[in-house]
Amino acid sequence: MKRLILCADWLITSAERPPIHQGAIVIEGKKVFDVGPQSEILPRYPNHKILNLQHKLIFPGLVNAHTHAPMSIFRGIAEDLPLMTWLREYIWPVESKIKREWVYWGTKLALIEMVRSGITLFCDMYLFEPEVIRATEEVGLKALLGEGLFDFPSPGYGPLEKGLKLTEGLLQEFSRHPKIKIAVSPHTLYTCSPETIKKCVNLSERYNAPLHIHLAENSEEIAEIRKRYGKHPVELLDELGGVNERLLAVHCVKLGEREIEILSKKGAKVASCPESNLKLGSGIAPIPKMLSAGLCVALGTDGPASNNDLDLLSEMRTASLIHKGLAEDPAIISAKDVFAMATENGALALHFPDTGKLLPGYRADLAVLDLKKENLQPDYNPLALLVYSAKAGQVSDVMVDGEFIMRNHQILTVDEVLIKEKIHEIKEEILQLLKARRG
């Protein structure tokens, strides 16, 4: 099999290994075959195609461990509001009128934004998830996807039982898909009854599928669940059988030592979304304590209506800086820590264990940072540049399973102009909807 060799000024293979100066990565088919300094790799593999990425940094593709991609169409629709007000008075009323085609085009807009910040794998929970799947396949990213499940009727599937059937059908259909996995995705413990959660847990068990749920996001949720059930959300979910190695618990802002211990002992995974939590005034998740307890903590952006972007590079920086400031300790969480969260931890949390690192045997899922940008010079410390200095749009190339989906800043798989035209049309429809509601 023919091999492709990528050479760059720097190669970061994983969080725990030092960056390789003048590095090279050998790709065979969909996987990484070898990595090392160019001085060792190039003589070892003569007569193979070499792509020289001068003034560039190659790094493992980032993993966005939680988002609502189609909500790109709602970016800016309601701002500076607490979570429950934002949901109940603005988002849910508009979502009740959502159209299938809005979800498809909104997902495409979100995916090209994610590609431009070096994301190769993401996790989504939303409505009309088959449309999210279709858009994801066309763009070429990898994903863990699930239809959001609620006790009340959904505009995507109607009554809950149909939502469960839809989820089971997707679990069967995509059981062997190379890039798409399906999660069982109950929305929250305050929109899903214990009976609904039990049904979701049973479905997750039968198909060995991830259980993806928002959990302990803010004080209002904690108070509501205690009022209804007399328990912390983590305790309630554990009692219902939902805390185990398949759990992907999103946010986990309001956790004490006991809740962290429950999640850690059961092997659960956490997707933390620092910027969304800050913007909605939900608080700051205890990431250092969770990492110290051995929890696998990944990073997510949350949806583009609450963040308001899908830039995981920015998310890494924020995740590190807020904890340094809170603890008055610059070493409490390092660039290496947050990079691991955004790569290998995310891959494990989303059940894609063969990505997140650029080592032999792993998938060739990678991104390339353009070091010619002013804020990325000089390059004394390439990992610090990536975590603390890089910005969305400075990624020049993205590869998934050994195939470029962006090359020299150009998306290769979809028509960006058409996508933006469709988004403008959708915006006009939403404006008319908002006008009619206010009138």
Side-chain angles (χ1 to χ4, degrees):
M1 183 182 289
K2 258 322 220 191
R3 294 170 181 144
L4 172 65
I5 303 175
L6 304 182
C7 297
D9 290 26
W10 289 99
L11 169 62
I12 297 177
T13 59
S14 67
E16 69 268 16
R17 298 194 178 204
I20 302 171
H21 189 227
Q22 296 300 316
I25 179 169
V26 183
I27 296 167
E28 184 179 83
K30 297 179 179 181
K31 294 186 176 183
V32 176
F33 188 78
D34 203 356
V35 294
Q38 294 172 30
S39 59
E40 297 176 9
I41 293 292
L42 296 182
R44 199 181 299 165
Y45 300 96
N47 305 317
H48 288 285
K49 182 179 179 181
I50 298 172
L51 184 58
N52 195 355
L53 301 169
Q54 291 185 319
H55 310 298
K56 301 286 178 71
L57 161 65
I58 299 172
F59 61 97
L62 302 181
V63 181
N64 186 351
H66 175 74
T67 191
H68 309 285
M71 293 185 79
S72 62
I73 61 173
F74 300 138
R75 189 180 347 238
I77 202 170
E79 299 294 352
D80 305 320
L81 297 167
L83 174 64
M84 297 315 298
T85 304
W86 181 77
L87 282 172
R88 289 172 177 154
E89 297 184 18
Y90 294 90
I91 297 301
W92 286 345
V94 178
E95 283 181 338
S96 69
K97 306 292 185 182
I98 198 167
K99 299 178 182 179
R100 183 179 293 273
E101 59 267 28
W102 291 4
V103 169
Y104 172 72
W105 291 108
T107 300
K108 280 199 160 182
L109 179 68
L111 296 190
I112 61 176
E113 183 182 352
M114 282 196 259
V115 169
R116 293 196 178 282
S117 71
I119 292 167
T120 54
L121 168 62
F122 72 102
C123 179
D124 186 79
M125 174 200 293
Y126 203 60
L127 311 169
F128 293 109
E129 205 67 16
E131 296 301 317
V132 178
I133 294 171
R134 180 161 71 103
T136 302
E137 288 184 298
E138 291 174 8
V139 175
L141 289 180
K142 294 180 176 178
L144 174 66
L145 306 174
E147 184 81 16
L149 300 170
F150 316 84
D151 283 342
F152 49 82
S154 162
Y157 53 77
L160 173 63
E161 287 307 315
K162 287 190 176 181
L164 292 167
K165 287 181 180 178
L166 169 63
T167 298
E168 185 164 16
L170 292 175
L171 286 166
Q172 294 168 350
E173 182 180 353
F174 290 90
S175 62
R176 297 181 182 276
H177 196 285
K179 293 182 179 178
I180 304 292
K181 295 182 188 293
I182 303 300
V184 182
S185 301
H187 178 249
T188 63
L189 291 173
Y190 58 83
T191 56
C192 295
S193 68
E195 292 73 24
T196 296
I197 295 297
K198 286 179 182 178
K199 290 177 182 178
C200 291
V201 169
N202 288 339
L203 193 57
S204 168
E205 287 177 352
R206 280 194 282 128
Y207 287 90
N208 194 28
L211 183 77
H212 178 203
I213 185 171
H214 303 91
L215 191 68
E217 184 172 357
N218 63 15
S219 298
E220 191 172 353
E221 176 189 341
I222 303 300
E224 179 66 23
I225 298 305
R226 284 204 184 278
K227 180 180 177 182
R228 289 192 202 177
Y229 309 108
K231 295 177 174 64
H232 185 280
V234 170
E235 293 178 294
L236 177 62
L237 187 60
D238 187 35
E239 186 179 278
L240 297 172
V243 179
N244 52 50
E245 69 283 353
R246 293 184 302 278
L247 175 63
L248 177 59
V250 181
H251 299 306
C252 292
V253 174
K254 301 297 181 181
L255 299 185
E257 299 291 342
R258 173 172 165 73
E259 291 77 43
I260 291 173
E261 183 181 10
I262 291 170
L263 293 170
S264 177
K265 281 188 173 180
K266 298 290 183 73
K269 316 297 189 297
V270 171
S272 180
C273 305
E275 291 185 355
S276 177
N277 297 153
L278 288 170
K279 185 168 181 288
L280 291 170
S282 299
I284 299 171
I287 292 176
K289 289 182 179 179
M290 288 192 279
L291 292 175
S292 295
L295 265 170
C296 176
V297 183
L299 274 183
T301 60
D302 209 356
S306 67
N307 185 311
N308 292 26
D309 61 41
L310 295 162
D311 181 1
L312 207 69
L313 294 165
S314 170
E315 210 76 38
M316 283 195 290
R317 174 183 166 91
T318 300
S320 178
L321 297 191
I322 56 176
H323 291 288
K324 294 175 188 292
L326 276 175
E328 299 183 21
D329 178 1
I332 193 168
I333 186 166
S334 67
K336 186 166 70 172
D337 293 331
V338 293
F339 183 67
M341 290 166 62
T343 53
E344 57 202 71
N345 287 14
L348 291 173
L350 271 54
H351 295 233
F352 282 81
D354 59 351
T355 189
K357 299 181 182 181
L358 295 178
L359 295 172
Y362 280 77
R363 295 285 176 162
D365 300 335
L366 59 84
V368 181
L369 187 68
D370 185 355
L371 295 177
K372 295 190 295 295
K373 302 299 181 181
E374 293 81 1
N375 61 305
L376 299 175
Q377 294 183 18
D379 59 354
Y380 301 119
N381 186 330
L383 184 60
L385 281 180
L386 189 62
V387 172
Y388 297 131
S389 303
K391 303 180 187 305
Q394 297 181 335
V395 171
S396 61
D397 306 85
V398 169
M399 174 182 281
V400 178
D401 274 354
E403 298 284 342
F404 282 110
I405 62 172
M406 182 169 74
R407 184 80 183 93
N408 293 322
H409 298 279
Q410 296 298 310
I411 305 284
L412 304 178
T413 51
V414 291
D415 184 342
E416 289 188 73
V417 174
L418 175 61
I419 292 167
K420 290 169 186 175
E421 288 174 354
K422 293 290 186 181
I423 294 301
H424 179 75
E425 293 173 9
I426 290 168
K427 183 195 80 169
E428 294 302 316
E429 289 187 64
I430 292 173
L431 285 174
Q432 289 300 314
L433 185 66
L434 290 171
K435 184 178 178 181
R437 183 170 179 264
R438 285 193 295 264

